[in-house]
Amino acid sequence: MPFRTKPTSLVASDPDRYLKRRGRRWHYVRRVPKHAEAHDQRGTIQVSLKTTSQEVARLKRDALEKADDLYWSGVADGMAAETAFERYDAARTRAQALGFDYLTAERIASTLPVEEIVRRIEAAGQPGPGDAEATLGGVEEPSLKVREAMEFYLETMAVDEARGMSPHQLTQRFKVKRHAAEDFIEVVGNKPVLEITRADAQRYYKYWLARIDGKGGQKKVSANFANRNFGNMRKLFRTYANWLALDAKNPFEGLSFSSRKMEKGIVPPFDPDWLRDRILRPGSFGKLNREAHLIFLALIETGCRPSEICNLTAENIRLDDEVPHIAIRFRADRQIKTEASVREIPLLGVSLAALRQAPNGFERYRDKETALSAALMKSLKVNDLLPTPQHGVYSVRHAFEKRMQEAGLDYDLRCRLMGHANSRPKYGDGGSLSWRRDQLAKITLPFDSDVLLC
């Protein structure tokens, strides 16, 4: 059966022309017209638009459709843009090459003197590819709404920020960024990013002020939490405007929330007696699974973050070295919190014993620190191992730091072992592993080997 096309007028009025959804992603699908078949051997064009957003797909479709139309009409030699953003950037670059600042047609008509407009019209008559679009502002600034812009931010504009993240880290990143966009949409609406006003930003700001104060029966949030969410929208606007090379005033700029120390949720440390008599008592963790149990024991004499222990690999658990230790290292498949987090920590006491039981690491919780945290907190609560409601998993890390401080260990050593940044100039390597081991021996707690059983 011969291929039949819709009348041009019907195709042009269809907002989803040449778009097909396969799974969750959109594709540009279009048949090469008969009059162009001799010059275009593609037959049926099928291009993945690499997006799940219908609005983003339409923008990308527009650029591909324009490029194909121009090519088929014989004037598309210089049309290389594959997306609305690339097409806009191509027009801007071409305008600069011709000695003009790129302005949209509307801005040209409303802001430029007649002489400048005439000069642009004359340049547009030159035979160069794309000259007319570049000099006369034929490509509009892409106008994505907040939800679609956040997807474009995550998929394209800020991809480099996520380089080296693990699947779990990427999932958390996407979740937090999308949550910020959805909160804004709930308060202000899903409007185009470049149309967000200062009044919109202030409305969103007042929403978070109410959340901080717990007004309207809402659960209170910290100022830090509000700043992170508000900051995500500030960054979205800034990145979007920068991507388009626009000198646009950021409506979120200068708005933030003060965080007083008394309002911060401080996790207190476990007392040494509590660690020794309650947590290091055999059977104290009840039915907690073995890997989570060993991870918690490994935290006690290392002061590590739970995510650092659960993501250790065999090569970084160095039990056979002269000084047994673990190494927290940069990895290609996982980002670490800060540069200061890179360190080597001698293994002593119950932490050494625990890691001897798991020399290859913890497969069950690799890249699953959220699940680990939930399992540990549940066990700590069920087994009555929290002195107060304010205590938590991080209490063991804070206890490690407090024990070092009270034992008089050097401040620089404490920072290095904790993975904290230190403003003091760095000299040397922070001491040999044997020296660090000897220092930590001063705070190592006694334990019954039966505590390893579960």
Side-chain angles (χ1 to χ4, degrees):
M1 181 176 179
F3 182 85
R4 299 179 64 184
T5 59
K6 295 179 182 179
T8 302
S9 60
L10 292 179
V11 172
S13 65
D14 181 4
D16 294 322
R17 61 192 178 278
Y18 311 129
L19 290 179
K20 285 193 176 181
R21 200 169 191 170
R22 292 176 179 167
R24 295 180 62 243
R25 292 185 176 271
W26 289 94
H27 290 68
Y28 171 76
V29 181
R30 189 179 186 186
R31 181 72 179 267
V32 175
K34 284 191 175 296
H35 74 268
E37 286 179 346
H39 304 283
D40 192 337
Q41 308 301 316
R42 291 177 293 172
T44 299
I45 303 163
Q46 301 186 57
V47 179
S48 172
L49 299 178
K50 297 180 180 179
T51 183
T52 58
S53 166
Q54 188 175 27
E55 192 159 349
V56 173
R58 286 171 176 170
L59 278 172
K60 292 186 175 184
R61 180 276 319 281
D62 288 346
L64 291 170
E65 179 185 21
K66 177 69 172 178
D68 285 334
D69 287 343
L70 287 173
Y71 176 72
W72 292 332
S73 65
V75 295
D77 291 344
M79 187 67 175
E82 293 182 0
T83 69
F85 288 92
E86 288 174 346
R87 186 177 167 205
Y88 176 83
D89 189 56
R92 184 171 56 86
T93 302
R94 183 62 182 160
Q96 291 171 348
L98 294 170
F100 298 99
D101 289 331
Y102 183 79
L103 300 173
T104 61
E106 181 181 351
R107 291 178 66 189
I108 288 173
S110 62
T111 64
L112 294 185
V114 173
E115 297 81 4
E116 174 68 7
I117 295 176
V118 170
R119 196 163 74 88
R120 285 174 176 260
I121 292 173
E122 290 174 347
Q126 301 302 313
D131 286 0
E133 282 191 337
T135 57
L136 298 180
V139 182
E140 290 295 318
E141 296 160 351
S143 182
L144 293 182
K145 295 181 180 179
V146 170
R147 184 178 291 119
E148 291 72 29
M150 183 60 79
E151 292 305 308
F152 189 70
Y153 172 89
L154 293 170
E155 294 176 5
T156 304
M157 293 189 292
V159 167
D160 188 62
E161 294 177 8
R163 190 157 43 89
M165 283 189 175
S166 69
H168 177 77
Q169 288 174 321
L170 282 172
T171 297
Q172 291 301 109
R173 169 182 168 79
F174 277 46
K175 178 181 177 181
V176 169
K177 299 292 186 183
R178 286 169 173 157
H179 197 278
E182 292 304 319
D183 278 339
F184 181 87
I185 291 167
E186 181 182 342
V187 176
V188 177
N190 191 26
K191 64 188 304 183
V193 172
L194 296 178
E195 294 179 17
I196 296 174
T197 65
R198 184 66 168 185
D200 294 329
Q202 290 171 335
R203 185 176 171 189
Y204 188 51
Y205 180 82
K206 291 175 182 177
Y207 162 80
W208 280 110
L209 273 180
R211 293 282 305 273
I212 292 170
D213 294 334
K215 292 181 179 178
Q218 296 186 91
K219 182 180 178 181
K220 278 191 174 185
V221 300
S222 68
N224 281 340
F225 182 83
N227 276 326
R228 284 196 298 272
N229 280 271
F230 197 85
N232 281 327
M233 287 302 301
R234 183 188 301 116
K235 188 169 185 179
L236 173 64
F237 187 96
R238 181 172 63 247
T239 305
Y240 188 83
N242 286 344
W243 186 268
L244 298 175
L246 299 176
D247 184 19
K249 179 70 174 176
N250 192 328
F252 300 95
E253 207 64 57
L255 297 174
S256 62
F257 308 94
S258 298
S259 180
R260 293 177 292 181
K261 287 186 176 181
M262 62 184 294
E263 294 176 338
K264 293 182 178 179
I266 298 175
V267 179
F270 289 125
D271 287 334
D273 289 346
W274 187 272
L275 284 170
R276 184 177 53 250
D277 300 337
R278 297 292 296 274
I279 288 176
L280 289 176
R281 187 184 68 227
S284 60
F285 281 89
K287 296 181 180 180
L288 181 64
N289 71 79
R290 181 168 178 74
E291 285 199 18
H293 184 207
L294 291 175
I295 289 171
F296 192 88
L297 296 178
L299 299 174
I300 293 175
E301 304 295 0
T302 63
C304 285
R305 302 174 181 94
S307 61
E308 293 173 331
I309 294 294
C310 75
N311 287 295
L312 282 173
T313 56
E315 66 192 67
N316 290 320
I317 302 174
R318 302 170 181 177
L319 300 171
D320 297 327
D321 283 22
E322 182 178 347
V323 177
H325 65 282
I326 56 174
I328 311 299
R329 289 282 179 263
F330 286 115
R331 287 166 46 179
D333 62 345
R334 181 177 180 80
Q335 286 188 357
I336 62 173
K337 188 169 184 179
T338 63
E339 186 176 341
S341 297
V342 176
R343 63 200 191 279
E344 293 180 336
I345 307 167
L347 291 171
L348 294 93
V350 72
S351 294
L352 173 59
L355 285 166
R356 287 198 189 282
Q357 301 291 314
N360 295 315
F362 305 93
E363 187 63 34
R364 176 170 180 167
Y365 289 108
R366 189 157 292 145
D367 201 32
K368 296 176 182 176
E369 49 263 38
T370 302
L372 170 66
S373 179
L376 291 178
M377 275 304 293
K378 179 179 179 180
S379 183
L380 289 169
K381 290 178 179 179
V382 168
N383 294 293
D384 196 25
L385 296 176
L386 299 175
T388 72
Q390 287 71 45
H391 282 77
V393 177
Y394 261 69
S395 292
V396 71
R397 175 170 162 83
H398 297 171
F400 180 75
E401 184 172 25
K402 181 181 178 183
R403 286 155 56 208
M404 288 194 294
Q405 181 182 23
E406 292 181 346
L409 271 63
D410 177 72
Y411 175 74
D412 182 66
L413 174 63
R414 290 177 357 231
C415 287
R416 288 179 185 268
L417 291 173
M418 293 294 293
H420 288 162
N422 183 357
S423 59
R424 285 165 48 177
K426 286 188 177 181
Y427 302 106
D429 59 3
S432 67
L433 276 171
S434 59
W435 178 75
R436 296 184 195 187
R437 175 199 59 200
D438 295 343
Q439 294 299 303
L440 287 178
K442 299 175 183 178
I443 67 166
T444 304
L445 299 169
F447 70 98
D448 186 328
S449 60
D450 285 348
V451 76
L452 298 167
L453 303 176
C454 58

